[in-house]
Amino acid sequence: MSREAARTRSRVLVVGATGRLGGSIARASLAAGHPTFALVRPHHFARPDSPVLGPLVAAGATLLQGSLEDYSSLLEAVCQVDVVICAVSTKQVLEQKPLIRAIKEAGCVKRFIPAEFGADPTKVQICGMDYGFYEKKIEIRHSIESEGIPHTYICCNFFMRYLLPSLVQPGLDAPPRDEIKIFGEGNTKGVFVKENDVAKFTICTIEDPRTLNKTLYLRPPGNVFSMNELADLWESKLKKSLKRLYVTEEQLLKEIHDAPFPLKMDLIFIYSAFVKGDHTYFEIDLSMEGTQLYPHVNYTTVNEYLDTLV
């Protein structure tokens, strides 16, 4: 890429770049030729050669010292960029409010992508039993929209590293080889996307006028599966049949009630996706689905992912 082309690419700030998703987003931004900045806390900033930051620095990322708790550092960082992407964990979602304030005050940000990266919080049917998980994300959406901040929301549903390594068997670290629990009737479909792929689709949106003030949904062909379909696919790889133990909705709700944390939240998300259908029960505008908008992006399918687990 020429220097002139690099100068015309949006400058991107990633908040949460030391996390798995944030690091993937920073790498995808750099790979796409964007001048990329990572806001990092002082203890990380002091170790730019660490295993987390070293590869980003080597790839060309610029480290900026700061945090969501330090408003002056936020404002200083935001004033240097065109795009802000936040990839902090859900427990920090409401801590994005000072970041929103800084974006508003700076006045230079053309796109903000907040820390959502899951199911659409406006569509889930489990509010009231999720301990505020989705309400906090809705609150952040309201803050963004009330301030008139240009934005894109990324709804990618489940990351592949969550639940899929056990074939949606809470408590297991690997897929079952003899029997498998099927939650509900087993025909409701959930969606899994690898974090690296979420990052690539995210970066595609930042200069795309079609996604401005819109929600990008990820339902990649080959990544939308019911539990029965997952079991079928796994059986084909094992070349054997598994005993299927069906857990009714009522049984699952009792398990949720009785389970300790963090197992309780795993069961709640399973209930949401594979019983209530919160990933797929509603129609989406296909012009806002990632693989339709960006067919050039290669992604890992569930079939390919399960090949690594056999």
Side-chain angles (χ1 to χ4, degrees), residues 46-276:
R47 298 186 60 224
D49 58 346
S50 69
V52 174
L53 293 178
L56 290 181
V57 173
T62 300
L63 303 186
L64 301 176
Q65 182 171 307
S67 71
L68 292 173
E69 296 82 24
D70 181 352
Y71 183 75
S72 63
S73 71
L74 282 180
L75 183 59
E76 183 179 351
V78 167
C79 284
Q80 300 181 55
V81 301
D82 308 297
V83 174
V84 177
I85 304 174
C86 191
V88 298
S89 66
T90 299
K91 65 182 179 182
Q92 293 180 279
V93 161
L94 293 182
E95 295 175 28
Q96 294 178 102
K97 289 187 175 182
L99 179 59
I100 293 168
R101 180 180 152 211
I103 290 170
K104 179 71 172 179
E105 183 175 343
C108 58
V109 172
K110 300 173 184 176
R111 193 77 62 103
F112 176 43
I113 298 178
E116 282 208 4
F117 302 106
D120 186 336
T122 69
K123 301 293 188 184
V124 295
Q125 305 167 92
I126 60 166
C127 288
M129 65 181 295
D130 63 345
Y131 296 88
F133 187 91
Y134 290 110
E135 286 91 336
K136 293 172 185 175
K137 295 185 177 185
I138 292 172
E139 186 176 339
I140 290 299
R141 283 195 180 195
H142 289 163
S143 295
I144 292 167
E145 293 164 18
S146 66
E147 294 291 354
I149 292 172
H151 59 271
T152 299
Y153 304 132
I154 309 294
C155 291
C156 58
N157 301 297
F158 285 151
F159 295 137
M160 279 189 175
R161 68 178 172 87
Y162 181 66
L163 293 177
L164 192 57
S166 69
L167 230 64
V168 196
Q169 304 297 293
L172 296 186
D173 295 324
R177 293 180 178 266
D178 295 303
E179 61 182 35
I180 181 171
K181 283 186 177 181
I182 304 290
F183 296 96
E185 296 180 357
N187 299 319
T188 304
K189 298 184 186 236
V191 183
F192 298 90
V193 189
K194 199 169 184 180
E195 274 156 312
N196 289 347
D197 298 331
V198 173
K200 289 186 286 187
F201 284 112
T202 298
I203 294 302
C204 285
T205 69
I206 64 177
E207 293 179 333
D208 188 347
R210 297 172 296 178
T211 58
L212 181 60
N213 299 329
K214 299 286 183 64
T215 298
L216 181 81
Y217 291 96
L218 293 181
R219 293 184 184 177
N223 289 33
V224 183
F225 274 79
S226 70
M227 289 209 66
N228 280 327
E229 289 169 338
L230 282 175
D232 290 342
L233 180 59
W234 186 237
E235 287 175 340
S236 73
K237 294 182 183 301
L238 293 180
K239 296 181 171 54
K240 63 178 286 191
S241 296
L242 301 181
K243 181 180 180 181
R244 301 191 187 193
L245 307 173
Y246 285 86
V247 179
T248 67
E249 179 175 355
E250 293 72 24
Q251 289 172 324
L252 178 54
L253 287 171
K254 185 177 187 307
E255 285 189 31
I256 290 171
H257 179 270
D258 296 340
F261 289 97
L263 174 60
K264 184 186 291 285
M265 293 307 297
D266 291 339
L267 293 172
I268 287 170
F269 292 135
I270 289 170
Y271 177 71
S272 171
F274 293 107
V275 176
K276 301 300 287 183

Side-chain angles (χ1 to χ4, degrees), residues 276-309:
K276 301 300 287 183
D278 284 341
H279 293 182
T280 56
Y281 79 86
F282 56 97
E283 296 292 326
I284 60 172
D285 178 353
L286 288 180
S287 69
M288 283 292 105
E289 197 283 317
T291 61
Q292 298 291 318
L293 271 176
Y294 312 114
H296 64 282
V297 175
N298 293 319
Y299 61 89
T300 300
T301 64
V302 165
N303 182 43
E304 292 167 339
Y305 183 82
L306 292 188
D307 281 339
T308 69
L309 304 179

